[in-house]
Amino acid sequence: MHIQWYPGHMTKTRRMMEETISLVDIVIELVDARIPYSSKNPDLDELAKNKHRILLMNKSDLADPAATEIWTKYFEEKGFHVIEMNAVKGTGMADVTNAARALMKDKIEKLRARGRINVPIRAMIAGIPNVGKSTFINKYVGKTTAKTGDKPGVTRGKQWIKLKKDFELLDTPGILWPKFEDQQVGLKLAFTGAINDDILDAQTLATAFINHMMVVNPDCIRKRYNIEFDTIAEPHDVLRQIAEARGFKLKGDEPDLERASKILMDEYRGGKLGRLTLELPEDINDMLAEKEAREKEKAQTDKARKAEYKKRKK
């Protein structure tokens, strides 16, 4: 399955972020704790390379706690201030303001020494679609200021939100990046709902998810649907078992795979399959090593072709 989703408004969003990044001191990025690497926009690292960075591991209540701890250490070693968060319940909210003030302490003290007392801390809030950004802002501010929804792409324009006299937040629309270098990243984004379901075939997505879980944690599917299968089973056959276990039938007593597919993905996203993290740093290291090997092989092939071309010209 080849996944790519980059609506036109995302190009406009990136341009707007490039134009306004100079106005902020801190970039606060939300990622999905179930897929911390895949839900982290690599473009932001370049865009915010000279800014303080706070990384919010949202939906941590849906992720494996041990895996979240591993990811927290991973990102802290890369210079991020990491906060585990559940935006729906408000867990971790107070830590955001404290972290921002701590990061800006030296600058604030220097400004006060010059007589500038009420200069606010300005932060940009960023993240991919459907990662919980609007829910976080609404909870953080204490009133509904940003639209929320269960479909990616709800927020479409930037808006400044004044939290207190010393803190201002620039909200931005959810943004992906133009090309997924690894299709596993695209799949994980689709699993969690960061990519619009309307562009994907439900059965194809569900069988891809089953295939992934056979490696990560097959027991979560076995226990949820009270079915049995081995890890070399065809994902399509597992999907049929899910449909039969739930009694989803079409005319002619055929299993309703479409309905089973939608139920499976809904229940995963709702945490009913358990607290699941779909990737670990070691998986990413393997992926990056494979990418490096592919790029090296391509460079060698290109070099050989150029040499052959020059030889023929002579």
Side-chain angles (χ1 to χ4, degrees):
M1 186 197 317
H2 182 78
I3 296 175
Q4 205 64 49
W5 187 60
Y6 194 72
H9 73 272
M10 291 190 183
T11 301
K12 183 179 178 181
T13 297
R14 178 182 170 83
R15 194 178 305 119
M16 177 271 291
M17 292 172 74
E18 289 172 346
E19 292 170 353
T20 55
I21 191 73
S22 62
L23 302 176
V24 304
D25 307 293
I26 302 169
V27 174
I28 302 172
E29 182 179 5
L30 269 79
V31 298
D32 189 323
R34 297 168 295 180
I35 51 168
Y37 180 86
S38 295
S39 62
K40 189 178 181 308
N41 191 332
D43 288 353
L44 281 175
D45 290 336
E46 178 62 25
L47 191 65
K49 60 184 178 182
N50 297 318
K51 304 294 179 179
H52 293 296
R53 306 291 300 277
I54 297 176
L55 193 71
L56 307 183
M57 299 269 279
N58 194 30
K59 306 185 182 182
S60 58
D61 57 309
L62 300 176
D64 180 347
T68 299
E69 187 175 338
I70 292 170
W71 276 112
T72 296
K73 183 178 179 181
Y74 173 87
F75 285 120
E76 285 178 344
E77 289 175 351
K78 293 185 177 295
F80 292 88
H81 185 102
V82 183
I83 298 172
E84 294 179 27
M85 173 164 292
N86 177 343
V88 174
K89 294 183 178 179
T91 307
M93 291 290 171
D95 295 336
V96 178
T97 305
N98 294 336
R101 286 174 176 157
L103 290 172
M104 294 299 298
K105 183 180 178 182
D106 291 345
K107 182 177 179 179
I108 291 170
E109 288 179 352
K110 287 179 182 178
L111 289 172
R112 284 178 177 171
R114 296 174 189 168
R116 300 179 65 185
I117 306 300
N118 295 318
V119 178
I121 297 170
R122 285 187 151 190
M124 175 185 286
I125 181 76
I128 66 169
N130 211 30
V131 78
K133 195 159 51 64
S134 295
T135 301
F136 160 73
I137 291 172
N138 291 341
K139 200 78 172 182
Y140 191 46
V141 177
K143 59 183 178 180
T144 302
T145 58
K147 294 179 181 179
T148 59
D150 59 2
K151 288 187 178 181
V154 172
T155 305
R156 286 298 178 94
K158 69 177 181 180
Q159 57 177 327
W160 280 101
I161 302 167
K162 190 169 185 178
L163 303 178
K164 296 180 180 180
K165 65 179 181 179
D166 67 338
F167 200 90
E168 294 178 1
L169 198 62
L170 175 61
D171 183 23
T172 59
I175 181 173
L176 291 168
W177 49 108
K179 184 180 179 182
F180 303 139
E181 294 293 339
D182 191 291
Q183 277 299 298
Q184 286 300 311
V185 169
L187 275 174
K188 292 169 192 172
L189 291 170
F191 294 158
T192 57
I195 293 176
N196 200 320
D197 282 338
D198 294 342
I199 70 168
L200 302 170
D201 174 72
Q203 290 187 45
T204 304
L205 182 62
T207 51
F209 176 74
I210 292 168
N211 190 57
H212 187 80
M213 296 314 298
M214 282 180 169
V215 177
V216 176
N217 188 341
D219 283 341
C220 71
I221 295 177
R222 293 187 183 114
K223 292 177 181 178
R224 177 64 185 171
Y225 301 103
N226 195 25
I227 59 177
E228 287 297 331
F229 58 87
D230 55 43
T231 52
I232 59 171
E234 286 292 329
H236 191 268
D237 292 336
V238 176
L239 185 60
R240 289 180 68 91
Q241 286 193 61
I242 293 172
E244 290 167 354
R246 286 295 175 88
F248 298 155
K249 299 287 184 180
L250 296 170
K251 289 182 180 179
D253 214 32
E254 280 294 308
D256 188 341
L257 301 184
E258 185 78 7
R259 187 179 176 191
S261 298
K262 291 177 179 178
I263 286 293
L264 173 61
M265 299 316 301
D266 284 347
E267 293 193 340
Y268 159 66
R269 292 169 184 173
K272 293 181 179 178
L273 271 65
R275 298 182 66 173
L276 302 172
T277 298
L278 303 187
E279 59 190 13
L280 290 171
E282 60 197 56
D283 304 324
I284 304 308
N285 292 336
D286 291 342
M287 184 184 75
L288 293 177
E290 290 175 8
K291 178 186 173 184
E292 185 178 348
R294 287 196 304 269
E295 290 176 347
K296 185 177 181 180
E297 184 179 355
K298 183 179 183 300
Q300 289 174 342
T301 301
D302 291 344
K303 184 178 180 181
R305 285 175 178 170
K306 288 178 181 177
E308 181 64 24
Y309 177 73
K310 289 180 180 179
K311 184 178 178 182
R312 287 180 181 179
K313 285 191 73 176
K314 292 179 180 179

